[in-house]
Amino acid sequence: MNIGAHVRGGGSLIPSLEAGAALGATSIQVFVQSPRMWKPTQYAPEVLEAYREAQRAHPTITHTFCHATYLINLASDDPALLERSRTALAHNLRVGRLMGAAGVVVHLGSHKGAGFDPAVAQVAQAVQGALDAAESVPGACPLLMENAAGAGGTVGRSLDELEAVLEATGRDERIGLCLDTQHLFASGVDYATVARARALIREVDRRFGLQRLACWHLNDSKTPFGSNRDRHANLGEGEIGADGLAPLLGHPAVRNLPWLLEVPGDGDGPRARDVEAARAIHAAGQLLYQRPARHRPPHQGEHHD
Ligand SMILES: [Zn+2]
Ligand SMILES: [Zn+2]
């Protein structure tokens, strides 16, 4: 299993590898600039090259993911904001390529009620424009669209919306997916039984191809199922619960992907005990798939679709 954690980047980025290792994580996610500011952090090429070498040589951290700044809104009807967003995303992608990241995760943005359909072509163009611009530097790093919890007019609140964006890019090979367990739950996607987890993974495969799913964001939820609110809780302390997460973590087709914690911990992000909690849930999830189906008792009083 590959349990990861969001950690602080720091100036040279390399300390983030040690921060992840200190938690017992085997993958990390970092911000490569302040997540709530436009100003890009300018890294010297040697810094990014040194990171790439350090990542390659690191004995325990297998993947580094970057999370793009939250200010990006590729669905904005304000041309200036759209341009800033595309520029910021291109910068994040260039940094990701140069540091050898496994992907840059991005929230596509919000149409603020103007409607999803009119925004699709613009979002797709902006995504491809940023990817094209990032090709000015060597490397290869996919852009990973993240599903949204569904507040306001967020784009990517459903697999259907994410697929529509992908489709509008001509199913661009440079685009992948990062699915967030809390956002799925908040947007009304149920994966709390083996049957439903299987149905979800089948749907992801049918719509995108599982090879596009690069990683997960692993979070419990402070808000109820279908609440459309983006509020992460520590694993086992939220509305999803350990039992609700286990069928997804244990699914044979996705269990070996990086599962990146973005939980609050004590207020300072994932702790070693959060990584341990994730490992325990992952192990429990794997066991669910080891029992032959015919020996599994039927679920009482549950609706099956
Ligand atoms: Zn997330
Ligand atoms: Zn979130």
Side-chain angles (χ1 to χ4, degrees):
M1 71 183 80
N2 189 344
I3 305 298
H6 186 94
V7 294
R8 290 223 171 87
S12 79
L13 296 170
I14 290 176
S16 59
L17 289 170
E18 291 318 312
L23 297 176
T26 49
S27 284
I28 55 169
Q29 176 176 272
V30 294
F31 292 123
V32 293
Q33 70 177 79
S34 168
R36 297 184 196 282
M37 282 169 55
W38 285 110
K39 193 177 165 320
T41 306
Q42 301 294 349
Y43 297 96
E46 311 83 73
V47 168
L48 298 175
E49 172 64 27
Y51 185 87
R52 194 164 73 228
E53 289 302 320
Q55 159 73 91
R56 204 181 287 142
H58 201 280
T60 57
I61 305 286
T62 62
H63 297 71
T64 298
F65 294 89
C66 303
H67 200 304
T69 171
Y70 292 133
L71 300 178
I72 287 171
N73 185 358
L74 305 176
S76 177
D77 62 2
D78 172 355
L81 178 57
L82 175 62
E83 189 46 40
R84 273 187 128 174
S85 297
R86 201 169 21 210
T87 304
L89 182 55
H91 175 76
N92 277 234
L93 284 164
R94 273 190 216 102
V95 172
R97 286 166 76 98
L98 290 171
M99 67 190 278
V104 172
V105 179
V106 62
H107 301 177
L108 297 173
S110 169
H111 55 67
K112 316 250 186 211
F116 173 72
D117 290 343
V120 178
Q122 176 184 311
V123 171
Q125 263 177 27
V127 160
Q128 288 186 293
L131 281 162
D132 291 345
E135 288 185 1
S136 62
V137 301
C141 177
L143 178 151
L144 305 177
M145 304 187 292
E146 179 172 358
N147 65 308
T154 42
V155 170
R157 55 173 52 226
S158 63
L159 296 181
D160 200 50
E161 286 195 0
L162 291 172
E163 189 188 10
V165 172
L166 181 65
E167 198 65 49
T169 67
R171 304 188 80 87
D172 193 317
E173 292 294 331
R174 301 169 296 177
I175 299 172
L177 273 188
C178 165
L179 294 177
D180 186 307
T181 56
Q182 194 276 332
H183 302 176
L184 283 172
F185 180 80
S187 61
V189 177
D190 183 359
Y191 47 78
T193 65
V194 164
R196 290 177 204 170
R198 282 194 201 276
L200 172 59
I201 299 306
R202 261 198 309 274
E203 186 183 352
V204 173
D205 190 30
R206 177 170 51 79
R207 289 179 180 276
F208 305 95
L210 272 184
Q211 79 285 353
R212 285 191 203 261
L213 180 59
C215 62
W216 293 84
H217 283 169
L218 176 56
N219 303 304
D220 207 327
S221 180
K222 282 191 178 152
T223 58
F225 184 71
S227 61
N228 289 130
R229 294 178 65 215
D230 184 347
R231 296 282 183 280
H232 302 184
N234 294 327
L235 302 190
E237 296 174 14
E239 302 270 339
I240 310 175
D243 291 348
L245 288 164
L248 198 54
L249 273 76
H251 190 293
V254 298
R255 63 169 62 138
N256 292 326
L257 289 174
W259 294 82
L260 309 166
L261 292 162
E262 296 177 316
V263 298
D266 295 318
D268 216 22
R271 304 157 296 183
R273 53 180 283 203
D274 298 310
V275 174
E276 278 166 36
R279 288 188 184 284
I281 294 169
H282 195 288
Q286 290 190 46
L287 287 178
L288 296 174
Y289 291 84
Q290 281 179 10
R291 289 179 211 147
R294 62 185 180 279
H295 293 152
R296 207 186 306 135
H299 292 285
Q300 296 290 320
E302 258 187 70
H303 168 76
H304 285 272
D305 40 26

